């Protein structure tokens, strides 16, 4: 059966690549664009254009600590989804949670993937908010990714309390070209992407891209495999110099077998707490011996059973557009979108068969006017959205959470004005007024006031009105030194827990708010070969969401952490040592602590504890060297390593959920032809084969151990070959 599946996957991939190759071969041959940071007679660093602030500008002139990764870099480093970007950005974690992805920026994120708990950090595709249920969509034919930490309340509103990640697709161009990429690797990896671009007329360009991944499971049972397809069609229409219309649609189908969370912190023989220990010597071995299954287990659940690989099924359709009208001195931009998705995930949570189902629909609209009047550059906009989600989460047949409906809708007015007082000094004033409405309903099964209840209905309805602001100053000391400072606020609408209100107990979760202070410096020196950027930040959060699933009590609940303090520094260094050598170094220091956090019933407080997934230190370093060959071709040797200090994976610091400090390293070597029209190379990821905790639950149900944890793991060591061709 496995051989048949592999052959079937090869045939599907070959068909997709063959079709794209035939289509691309009809296009005119184009001279390849030089890859980012490729060998050049210019020994200096290239300028990076960013759009995360909803305007186009130079990274060094933008008063924010934006990390920008181009599409070429994503391909060269083998980044195939948002999770792979984690190794390139300091003080972030983009970690797998089966079909979803947890996004933590500077210690702020959410570990509960229920429909009623949106992440306080937002992922956007082409400027459109993407719900967490579909955040694991593949990256292919990308323009690039930008990460902007800290509150973005004025420009992005709700869901951006901790920052934003903007991913952009490559747009159609007025050229006839194509590209094919193919990879093979361990775990029977077969991965291919193909793109073809047509200039249908001087006014209309059409682009088609597709991506397919097949992979055996990372886990011993065969779990954590992939059989995924994605396709995208986009059109760019410019009938004249003043009007532009960009329309795109993307379809993603996810198959394969889900990831089985494994037990950590438990002795496999006695069931006692054992720090950092997995049940098997291979952390990705999710199987259980009869002796392990015979150890004491959760008495409120059926007997544990041996884990096996269970399927994932999901489909996502996402479409959007961008209409721009140049008014001469001002530009109107209109961005509508629609998304529909369903994800059904069956897996073993430790030794208990689990199923999770999510449904989501979303409509968004954004209208912006940007321009300048004298020394003032302005941006003003309107935003409206509507989201409908639902979902269930059952462990061993026990309904942990049931959300029949979660509806969130709202609109906002926002704007920013940059006042250029002098050629060197500018001030930015911004504001946003938001109106949000949420209602939800479902049923609850569990203990209520000491009694066990089944299927008790609950409901929730709240309206939220909020105003955010931003005040910033920027001073250009000289063309190579830029100073900035800002004060801004952020906000996340309140939500609900999945049980009913009763006397003395409310299911309401209060809105989260933030006041943030930042100051930074951006510099370039040594004939434009050395870039050093540094940002200091201080965040004062009130009522930040804190969530956890407890696998011993079989409950999930979200609380408000009354006061959270986060401060630190992000240092980014880029050094073009020679025209053929480049060093990148980023260092993040993050002091993220609860100042005041106690449970409503007074049963526990977590004052002074480090926030979950918030290591104090993150250090990333990469280096490449180009070996020049005769005729203009070259070989690039690249290495990237990331260090993280210890952190906890839940807000209560259960001992089993502690991740010790670790280092992970990736490397590649690639041959590029003289015109960069084709390449071939080898790559390896996680050379150390380090087992790093990802989405984690409190405790272990089997063996029963309150001090243990049940966790997803980041991928083990992987390696393979990659080839690409441009037409």
């Amino acid at each position: 059966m496995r051989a048949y599946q592999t052959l079937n996957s090869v045939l599907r991939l070959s068909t997709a690549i063959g079709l794209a190759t035939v289509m691309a071969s009809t296009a005119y041959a184009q001279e390849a664009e030089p890859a980012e940071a490729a060998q050049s007679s210019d020994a200096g660093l290239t300028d990076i254009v960013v759009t995360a602030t909803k305007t186009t500008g130079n990274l060094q002139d933008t008063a924010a600590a934006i990390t920008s990764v181009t599409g070429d870099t994503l391909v060269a480093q083998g980044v195939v989804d948002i999770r792979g970007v984690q190794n390139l950005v300091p003080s972030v974690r983009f970690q797998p949670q089966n079909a979803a992805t947890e996004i933590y920026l500077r210690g702020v994120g959410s570990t509960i993937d229920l429909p009623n708990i949106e992440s306080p950090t937002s992922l956007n595709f082409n400027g459109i908010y993407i719900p967490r249920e579909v955040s694991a969509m593949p990256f292919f034919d990308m323009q690039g990714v930008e990460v902007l930490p800290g509150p973005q309340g004025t420009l992005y509103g709700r869901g951006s309390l901790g920052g934003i990640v903007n991913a952009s697709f490559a747009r159609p161009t007025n050229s006839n070209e194509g590209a094919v990429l193919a990879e093979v690797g361990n775990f029977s990896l077969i991965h291919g992407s193909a793109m073809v671009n047509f200039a249908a007329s001087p006014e209309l360009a059409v682009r088609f891209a597709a991506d397919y991944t097949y992979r055996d499971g990372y886990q011993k049972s065969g779990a954590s495999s992939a059989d995924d397809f994605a396709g995208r069609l986009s059109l760019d229409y410019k009938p004249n110099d003043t009007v532009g219309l960009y329309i795109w649609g993307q379809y993603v189908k996810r198959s394969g077998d889900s990831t089985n969370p494994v037990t950590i912190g438990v002795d496999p023989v006695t069931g006692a707490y054992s720090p950092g220990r997995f049940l098997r010597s291979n952390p990705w071995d999710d199987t259980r011996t009869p002796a392990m299954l015979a150890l004491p287990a959760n008495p409120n659940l059926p007997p544990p059973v041996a884990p096996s690989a269970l399927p994932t099924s999901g489909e996502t359709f996402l479409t959007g557009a961008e209409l721009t009208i140049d008014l001469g001195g001002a530009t109107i931009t209109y961005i509508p979108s629609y998304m529909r998705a369903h994800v059904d995930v069956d897996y073993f949570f430790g030794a208990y068969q689990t199923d999770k189902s999510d449904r989501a629909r979303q409509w968004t609209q954004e209208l912006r006017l940007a321009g300048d009047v004298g020394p003032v550059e302005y941006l003003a906009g309107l935003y409206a959205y509507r989201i409908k989600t639902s979902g269930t989460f059952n462990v061993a047949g026990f309904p942990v959470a049931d959300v029949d409906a979660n509806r969130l809708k709202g609109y906002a007015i926002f704007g920013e004005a940059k006042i250029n007082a002098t050629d060197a000094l500018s001030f930015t004033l911004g504001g946003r007024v938001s109106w949000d409405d949420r209602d939800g309903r479902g049923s609850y099964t569990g203990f209520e006031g000491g009694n066990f209840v089944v299927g008790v209905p609950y409901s929730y309805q709240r309206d939220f009105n909020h105003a955010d602001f931003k005040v910033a100053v920027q001073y250009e000391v000289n063309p190579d030194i830029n100073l900035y400072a800002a004060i801004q606020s952020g906000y996340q609408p309140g939500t609900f827990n999945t049980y009913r209100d009763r006397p003395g107990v409310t299911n309401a979760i209060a809105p989260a708010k933030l006041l943030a202070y930042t100051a930074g410096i951006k510099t370039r020196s040594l004939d434009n070969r050395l870039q050093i950027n540094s940002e200091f930040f201080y965040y004062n959060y009130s009522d930040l969401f804190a969530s956890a699933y407890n696998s011993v009590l079989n409950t999930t609940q979200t609380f408000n952490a009354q006061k959270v303090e986060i401060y630190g520094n992000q240092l980014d260094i880029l050094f073009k040592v020679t025209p053929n050598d480049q060093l990148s170094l980023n260092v993040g220091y993050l002091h993220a602590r609860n100042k005041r956090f106690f449970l409503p019933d007074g049963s526990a407080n977590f004052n002074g504890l480090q926030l979950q997934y918030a290591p104090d230190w993150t250090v990333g370093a990469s280096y490449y060297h180009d070996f020049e060959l005769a005729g203009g071709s070259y070989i690039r040797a690249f290495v990237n390593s990331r260090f993280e200090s210890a952190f906890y994976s839940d807000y209560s610091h259960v001992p089993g959920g502690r991740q010790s400090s670790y280092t992970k390293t990736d490397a590649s070597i690639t041959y590029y032809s003289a015109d960069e029209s084709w390449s071939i190379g080898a790559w390896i990821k996680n050379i150390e084969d380090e087992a790093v905790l990802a989405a984690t639950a409190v405790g272990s149900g089997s063996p029963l151990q309150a001090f243990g944890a049940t966790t997803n793991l980041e991928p083990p060591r992987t390696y393979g070959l990659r080839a690409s061709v441009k037409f």
Side-chain angles (χ1 to χ4, degrees):
M1 177 63 71
R2 178 61 68 183
Y4 170 79
Q5 291 174 336
T6 302
L7 177 60
N8 182 54
S9 300
V10 172
L11 291 174
R12 292 172 64 181
L13 177 63
S14 300
T15 301
I17 291 179
L19 177 60
T21 303
V22 170
M23 296 172 66
S25 65
T26 64
Y28 300 110
Q30 301 291 318
E31 183 177 358
E33 292 288 331
E36 182 200 27
Q39 54 187 6
S40 169
S41 59
D42 180 13
L45 297 168
T46 58
D47 289 332
I48 299 174
V49 176
V50 294
T51 59
T53 57
K54 298 192 176 181
T55 58
T56 301
N58 188 310
L59 173 65
Q60 290 302 99
D61 296 332
T62 304
I66 301 175
T67 299
S68 178
V69 184
T70 69
D72 286 337
T73 300
L74 294 174
V75 172
Q77 299 194 23
V79 175
V80 295
D81 55 28
I82 184 59
R83 299 166 182 176
V85 180
Q86 172 178 288
N87 290 341
L88 308 176
V89 185
S91 298
V92 306
R93 289 200 58 79
F94 304 149
Q95 53 194 28
Q97 190 176 33
N98 253 313
T101 302
E102 295 181 356
I103 297 179
Y104 281 82
L105 301 177
R106 291 181 177 172
V108 178
S110 174
T111 193
I112 291 292
D113 58 343
L114 298 178
N116 53 310
I117 307 294
E118 291 88 11
S119 174
T121 51
S122 65
L123 172 64
N124 304 277
F125 279 91
N126 285 357
I128 295 166
Y129 174 80
I130 302 298
R132 178 172 43 200
E133 290 84 351
V134 295
S135 56
M137 286 194 297
F139 281 3
F140 62 101
D141 195 31
M142 302 292 293
Q143 180 67 32
V145 178
E146 297 175 5
V147 180
L148 179 54
Q152 308 303 320
T154 58
L155 291 181
Y156 289 90
R158 63 163 190 93
S160 62
L161 194 70
I164 60 165
V165 179
N166 278 353
S168 301
F169 303 143
R171 294 196 178 197
T173 62
N174 288 320
S175 60
N176 297 311
E177 58 187 351
V180 175
L181 178 145
E183 290 182 297
V184 294
N186 61 333
F187 296 100
S188 302
L189 171 68
I190 301 172
H191 172 229
S193 294
M195 176 278 293
V196 61
N197 190 100
F198 290 103
S201 71
E203 297 82 20
L204 178 64
V206 181
R207 192 179 189 99
F208 171 76
D211 185 85
Y212 176 71
T213 299
Y214 172 86
R215 173 178 47 75
D216 285 345
Y218 291 140
Q219 297 182 281
K220 184 71 172 180
S221 69
S224 196
S225 66
D227 188 1
D228 304 334
F229 170 80
R232 183 190 313 133
L233 178 65
S234 53
L235 298 88
D236 194 85
Y237 179 59
K238 296 180 180 178
N240 52 53
D241 293 336
T242 61
V243 177
L245 178 61
Y246 169 47
I247 303 175
W248 56 272
Q250 176 165 296
Y251 170 78
V252 179
K253 181 175 177 59
R254 296 178 58 86
S255 302
D257 295 316
S258 312
T259 298
N260 289 336
V262 297
T263 300
I264 185 174
V266 180
D267 188 293
V269 176
T270 66
Y273 169 62
S274 181
R277 187 169 184 178
F278 293 93
L279 295 183
R280 295 288 203 171
S281 58
N282 173 9
W284 291 273
D285 186 347
D286 56 333
T287 61
R288 301 284 181 105
T289 66
M292 293 175 187
L293 295 173
L295 290 170
N298 194 326
N300 297 316
L301 295 177
V305 296
S308 61
L310 298 175
T312 287
S313 174
E315 289 184 296
T316 301
F317 174 70
L318 177 65
T319 183
E322 181 178 294
L323 172 66
T324 58
I325 303 174
D326 188 348
L327 303 177
T331 301
I332 293 176
T333 303
Y334 173 56
I335 304 176
S337 78
Y338 170 73
M339 185 220 63
R340 182 184 70 247
H342 74 82
V343 180
D344 297 295
V345 181
D346 294 328
Y347 58 97
F348 272 87
F349 191 86
Y352 296 108
Q353 187 167 339
T354 301
D355 64 88
K356 191 174 187 302
S357 176
D358 290 288
R359 301 290 184 270
R361 287 196 178 192
Q362 174 181 279
W363 298 260
T364 70
Q365 297 186 78
E366 183 169 329
L367 179 65
R368 301 197 302 257
L369 177 67
D372 58 83
V373 178
V376 178
E377 303 171 32
Y378 65 87
L379 171 70
L382 302 172
Y383 180 76
Y385 73 98
R386 184 155 52 105
I387 300 176
K388 295 181 178 180
T389 58
S390 61
T392 58
F393 174 39
N394 303 297
V395 177
F398 184 91
V400 179
D402 182 359
V403 181
D404 293 334
N406 170 60
R407 298 184 178 92
L408 186 63
K409 62 182 179 180
Y411 56 95
I413 302 172
F414 66 92
E416 284 192 359
K418 182 179 179 181
I419 305 166
N420 298 300
T422 68
D423 290 341
L425 180 65
S426 65
F427 300 91
T428 299
L429 302 176
R432 186 185 190 99
V433 180
S434 304
W435 295 266
D436 301 286
D437 175 74
R438 185 195 298 273
D439 65 87
R441 56 181 170 81
S443 60
Y444 171 71
T445 296
F447 286 95
E448 184 179 273
N451 300 314
F452 189 80
V453 297
V454 178
V456 175
Y458 67 83
S459 62
Y460 172 91
Q461 197 285 318
R462 296 287 192 282
D463 296 331
F464 305 96
N465 304 325
H466 188 75
D468 283 309
F469 74 91
K470 176 181 179 179
V471 178
V473 59
Q474 188 171 352
Y475 181 67
E476 187 180 278
V477 179
N478 59 50
D480 294 323
I481 301 177
N482 194 0
L483 305 175
Y484 65 90
I487 304 174
Q488 54 188 322
S489 64
Y491 154 77
Q492 183 178 13
T495 185
F496 58 92
N497 280 300
T498 55
Y499 51 78
R500 65 176 176 173
D501 277 332
R502 59 186 190 274
V505 178
T506 177
N507 65 2
I509 303 167
K513 301 176 183 179
L514 162 68
L515 188 60
Y517 306 83
T518 57
I521 180 172
K522 295 187 172 185
T523 71
R524 277 197 174 180
S525 59
L526 299 182
D527 295 326
N528 204 38
R529 294 191 299 115
L530 177 62
Q531 176 177 296
I532 301 178
N533 297 341
S534 181
E535 180 176 275
F536 297 88
F537 53 89
Y538 177 84
Y539 302 151
N540 186 357
Y541 285 92
S542 59
D543 291 326
L544 186 65
F545 294 1
S547 307
Y549 168 62
N550 190 310
S551 59
V552 174
L553 301 177
N554 216 24
T555 59
T556 180
Q557 192 167 6
T558 298
F559 300 99
N560 290 113
Q562 293 86 4
K563 182 177 177 58
V564 172
E565 181 182 67
I566 299 176
Y567 61 82
N569 174 257
Q570 178 175 326
L571 174 66
D572 300 296
I573 299 174
L574 195 60
F575 183 30
K576 195 71 172 290
V577 183
T578 75
N580 293 339
D581 296 83
Q582 183 164 297
L583 169 68
S584 175
L585 175 68
N586 60 66
V587 180
Y589 172 67
L590 183 68
H591 181 89
R593 300 292 190 271
N594 294 316
K595 295 291 288 184
R596 187 173 70 254
F597 179 17
F598 52 85
L599 299 187
D601 62 3
S603 59
N605 82 73
F606 310 105
N607 297 345
L609 296 189
Q610 179 190 53
L611 269 62
Q612 59 194 30
Y613 304 111
D616 288 349
W617 290 98
T618 305
V619 181
S622 64
Y623 192 89
Y624 76 75
H625 175 75
D626 291 339
F627 298 91
E628 297 186 27
L629 304 176
S633 60
Y634 66 99
I635 295 175
R636 172 165 295 182
F638 173 85
V639 62
N640 177 75
S641 190
R642 177 184 177 91
F643 165 82
E644 286 190 334
S645 60
F647 61 84
Y648 284 88
S649 55
D650 75 281
Y651 67 81
S652 62
H653 285 204
V654 168
R658 183 181 185 272
Q659 170 66 56
S660 301
S661 60
Y662 74 93
T663 301
K664 286 174 64 175
T665 305
D666 304 336
S668 65
I669 185 165
T670 308
Y671 171 85
Y672 292 92
S673 64
D675 61 356
E676 295 186 340
S677 62
W678 65 275
S679 69
I680 186 168
W683 52 267
I684 183 170
K685 301 179 183 179
N686 190 7
I687 294 175
E688 298 86 347
D689 204 26
E690 188 74 35
V692 179
L693 306 189
T696 304
V698 173
S700 167
S702 169
L704 185 64
Q705 178 50 253
F707 289 159
T710 310
T711 183
N712 291 267
L713 292 176
E714 294 184 1
R717 182 191 299 121
T718 56
Y719 51 86
L721 302 175
R722 178 188 303 121
S724 67
V725 179
K726 296 180 181 179
F727 301 91

